[in-house]
Amino acid sequence: MPVYAAPVRDTLFVLNEVLGYERHANLPGFSDASADVLEAILAEGAKLAENVMHPLNRVGDTQGCVRNDDGSVTTPKGFKEAFDQYRAGGWMGLAAPVEYGGQGLPYVLHTAVGEYLSSANMALMMYAGLTQGAIAALIAHGSDEQKAAWLPKLIDGTWTGTMNLTEPHCGTDLGLLRTRAVPNGDGSYRISGQKIFISAGEHDMADNIVHLVLARIEGAPAGTKGISLFIVPKYRLDASGNPGERNGVSCGSIEEKMGIHGNATCVMNYDEAEGYLLGEENGGLRAMFTMMNEARLGVGLQGLSMGEVASQNAVSYAKERLQGRSLSGPKAPEKPADPIIVHPDIRRGLMTMRAFNEAGRALVLWTALKSDVAHRSGDDKDRQAADDHMGLMTPIVKGVLTDKGFEHAVMAQQVFGGHGYIEEHGMSQFVRDARIAMIYEGANGIQALDLVGRKLAMNGGRAVQAFFKEVGDFCEEHRSDEKMAPFTKAVKKGLNDLQAATLWLMQNAMQKPDNAGAASTDYLHLFGLVALGYMWARMAKAAQDKLSDGAGDDAAFYEAKLVTARFFIERVMPETAAHLARIASGADSMMALPVEAF
């Protein structure tokens, strides 16, 4: 059976010793989550993940969700009870505003716990994840009346939320959507149409489901300029604000999927369902992107989560599985063979996963901390810089961490050999579940195009220039530190490659847009490597400082950090040069073949 242990110690290292969590004590909510409280909450989140959510992961995969004859959906055995525990513990509202019933604690803390829960049971935690997106959209764009009506029950988990974008004929190109909204004359609208791939669209774990639906009001402009966003609940609210009559929304079917079987991915039919405009008329995309950006960071976290749990199981198996002898001589002479963890190629996989997971965790938490600054700081300049960082890093966190999460789930499966292909070990589920994260909330090719086509030039390149300066300044600051030299030199080389790639795009993409498209995925991953390398340089510095001060019983922890950092720097960072070479080759060979030649 699969195993999972939440990496609480590693999270605390990143938050306290690398990112300087305590330096943000002046922000609202941080004073309520002191170092002791932070550790206690992470420990409780770990218990929930390990003892409640994780045992149900295989159950969800094997049982799946069932659509009943009346259109209702039954979730796998134990899911409702586990979700009740999640709700009762106040986890849904951990970082939500106090005025609507949340605890108002830092978003970075919510993110850290979210990793544990997603690693333990990704399909189950998607019900909560979609709700978080709905909460974010309502906070940003809802009227006071809408916030009062919908937020308290979403935040306490009594109700859940969804996002409805995709239709059978349109996914990324939302300008093609056909779902229509007809005014009723009383401020409400009749919503009609069909949406597909709706995660958590129907289930038995909440008293109401609040769907956020993109639709086109009659007479609205064509394309994306004519799209509005609507609140469309499963049950309309009565005069007391409680679920009343059933609305004209139903689950037509559940998609049969490769993975995440425990999550109800629904075809949703809207038949003159009553809905309420959220935000401005024809401003639906802007409002929905608030939700999507929240979701994209959450999906990047899913990629990290799948890579982490798969890696943990690969390590456990590699320590136990006996096969062959070490190339440098027997390591377990009393046994008929050595455990496979002694073999260099097994170590290559295990160290690769470990190095990416630890840097990925730091990158996610760094970005989540910037979200706290963007939303809570009283300094306009700090808020702007943090918001710039969020916008720049969102496609990188989503694209890079989900690509690597799937890659590492496959890598972990490979450690098991033939046993990884057998369902009883659970590795197949990690591979299948991880695969979706590369696709939904904007496929990773779209993330790459978003980075190259929008984020680099936004505000005159302010965000990317700030990132270049921060990384460059760090390398320069520690250039004369002999212990840091291996890390700063490698990160500076990667930064130089990234800046060269950025310059090449500036010089070659405007007159030939295919060059930007051809370069985009390599640029995304080149940028990701530099960001992850920067995280490792900062972690190496923190570990060295602790060892210099006398780490005591924790010395082995910090020594392991330095070894893993060195592995990433020596074995992974050189890939920046390959990405640059591919980018600079342009689009000619990629686009040369005529269509009929394929």
Side-chain angles (χ1 to χ4, degrees):
M1 290 290 291
V3 299
Y4 176 66
V8 175
R9 177 67 181 87
D10 198 65
T11 303
L12 290 169
F13 166 71
V14 172
L15 289 176
N16 293 329
E17 300 168 47
V18 179
L19 300 179
Y21 175 87
E22 75 287 347
R23 294 201 301 271
H24 297 79
N26 62 314
L27 297 180
F30 278 73
S31 60
D32 297 322
S34 62
D36 290 344
V37 173
L38 171 71
E39 187 168 354
I41 291 175
L42 292 179
E44 287 303 310
K47 290 177 184 177
L48 181 66
E50 296 166 0
N51 302 328
V52 178
M53 302 299 182
H54 179 62
L56 294 172
N57 197 42
R58 294 278 316 271
V59 176
D61 188 52
T62 55
Q63 289 187 6
C65 295
V66 177
R67 181 187 179 277
N68 305 304
D69 291 341
D70 63 357
S72 64
V73 170
T74 302
T75 52
K77 184 178 180 181
F79 268 42
K80 186 178 188 304
E81 292 76 13
F83 195 78
D84 285 344
Q85 289 193 50
Y86 174 84
R87 174 172 42 233
W91 296 103
M92 187 77 83
L94 192 67
V98 174
E99 57 264 40
Y100 299 110
Q103 298 176 54
L105 297 176
Y107 177 71
V108 69
L109 177 53
H110 162 84
T111 301
V113 173
E115 181 203 335
Y116 307 161
L117 297 171
S118 187
S119 280
N121 196 323
M122 175 174 157
L124 175 52
M125 290 317 301
M126 285 174 62
Y127 296 93
L130 272 296
T131 306
Q132 293 292 341
I135 290 169
L138 279 159
I139 290 172
H141 302 286
S143 66
D144 290 342
E145 293 79 9
Q146 288 173 336
K147 291 176 183 178
W150 304 105
L151 281 175
K153 293 296 186 181
L154 287 169
I155 286 171
D156 73 13
T158 303
W159 301 344
T160 60
T162 72
M163 55 193 296
N164 288 236
L165 291 80
T166 307
E167 300 182 4
H169 59 281
C170 76
T172 300
D173 191 354
L174 290 170
L176 300 175
L177 71 78
R178 297 172 186 161
T179 299
R180 66 184 187 277
V182 179
N184 285 322
D186 61 357
S188 66
Y189 293 77
R190 297 189 305 278
I191 311 297
S192 298
Q194 185 179 78
K195 299 289 185 177
I196 63 171
F197 305 157
I198 307 306
S199 301
E202 172 64 24
H203 58 85
D204 57 359
M205 300 193 300
D207 295 343
N208 204 357
I209 301 175
V210 182
H211 303 285
L212 298 192
V213 183
L214 286 181
R216 194 182 304 279
I217 299 173
E218 283 190 331
T224 57
K225 293 181 180 179
I227 296 174
S228 299
L229 183 63
F230 297 88
I231 302 167
V232 188
K234 176 180 176 178
Y235 294 102
R236 291 193 285 257
L237 303 187
D238 63 20
S240 300
N242 298 313
E245 294 182 0
R246 181 68 188 256
N247 208 354
V249 51
S250 62
C251 170
S253 64
I254 297 177
E255 305 285 3
E256 295 186 15
K257 311 185 297 292
M258 176 180 175
I260 54 169
H261 296 152
N263 193 270
T265 306
C266 301
V267 174
M268 299 301 298
N269 296 320
Y270 293 87
D271 185 11
E272 297 197 337
E274 185 170 286
Y276 319 100
L277 183 67
L278 177 59
E280 298 178 359
E281 185 173 317
N282 302 327
L285 275 192
R286 188 172 73 88
M288 182 58 83
F289 268 111
T290 299
M291 192 172 185
M292 287 191 71
N293 285 336
E294 181 98 6
R296 284 172 173 173
L297 291 172
V299 173
L301 189 66
Q302 288 179 341
L304 167 65
S305 298
M306 287 295 96
E308 174 65 27
V309 68
S311 174
Q312 286 189 22
N313 281 271
V315 169
S316 178
Y317 185 79
K319 289 179 177 179
E320 297 172 357
R321 174 68 170 175
L322 303 180
Q323 195 83 13
R325 288 296 186 188
S326 168
L327 297 175
S328 57
K331 298 298 184 286
E334 75 286 359
K335 297 179 180 179
D338 288 332
I340 62 174
I341 198 168
V342 306
H343 302 308
D345 194 60
I346 295 293
R347 287 291 188 103
R348 174 189 59 82
L350 298 180
M351 287 298 293
T352 298
M353 290 183 281
R354 179 185 182 122
F356 269 101
N357 289 342
E358 293 185 14
R361 180 172 300 112
L363 180 61
V364 166
L365 294 175
W366 183 40
T367 305
L369 195 56
K370 293 289 187 181
S371 177
D372 279 316
V373 175
H375 291 101
R376 301 173 189 235
S377 176
D379 186 293
D380 291 343
K381 186 176 179 181
D382 286 348
R383 281 203 313 273
Q384 181 189 81
D387 193 60
D388 285 351
H389 174 97
M390 289 279 292
L392 178 67
M393 284 297 164
T394 294
I396 296 165
V397 167
K398 197 282 184 183
V400 173
L401 294 189
T402 59
D403 274 356
K404 292 301 179 182
F406 175 72
E407 180 182 322
H408 296 154
V410 173
M411 193 177 289
Q413 184 185 41
Q414 187 73 13
V415 172
F416 282 72
H419 293 285
Y421 204 65
I422 304 300
E423 289 295 337
E424 70 175 281
H425 287 280
M427 302 308 290
S428 167
Q429 183 186 353
F430 298 142
V431 172
R432 290 183 284 104
D433 286 357
R435 186 63 183 87
I436 185 57
M438 302 163 69
I439 299 172
Y440 59 18
E441 307 307 342
N444 285 355
I446 298 299
Q447 304 302 319
L449 287 173
D450 177 46
L451 176 62
V452 169
R454 293 180 63 247
K455 299 300 175 61
L456 291 186
M458 190 172 288
N459 299 310
R462 188 174 67 206
V464 71
Q465 291 302 325
F467 176 82
F468 290 166
K469 184 177 188 305
E470 178 170 348
V471 177
D473 286 352
F474 180 90
C475 293
E476 180 62 26
E477 180 184 352
H478 300 289
R479 184 167 59 91
S480 59
D481 184 337
E482 186 176 337
K483 291 182 179 179
M484 283 296 294
F487 308 108
T488 55
K489 287 172 66 175
V491 172
K492 187 65 168 68
K493 169 63 169 61
L495 179 62
N496 290 342
D497 288 341
L498 179 58
Q499 290 174 313
T502 307
L503 180 61
W504 188 92
L505 284 170
M506 292 172 59
Q507 295 172 338
N508 293 277
M510 290 296 291
Q511 66 273 32
K512 191 173 182 180
D514 279 346
N515 279 332
S520 59
T521 291
D522 275 295
Y523 188 85
L524 176 83
H525 280 276
L526 171 52
F527 209 125
L529 284 174
V530 174
L532 293 169
Y534 176 49
M535 293 296 96
W536 266 123
R538 291 180 64 175
M539 287 190 284
K541 176 60 178 169
Q544 287 176 353
D545 288 347
K546 283 292 183 179
L547 288 167
S548 297
D549 293 341
D553 294 340
D554 286 334
F557 175 86
Y558 297 111
E559 291 288 358
K561 284 291 175 199
L562 292 176
V563 170
T564 310
R566 196 171 78 240
F567 175 89
F568 189 90
I569 291 299
E570 294 174 359
R571 303 280 302 193
V572 180
M573 280 302 291
E575 293 173 12
T576 62
H579 287 300
L580 175 59
R582 286 195 288 265
I583 290 167
S585 71
D588 289 349
S589 63
M590 190 177 294
M591 306 302 293
L593 280 180
V595 172
E596 57 271 17
F598 281 87

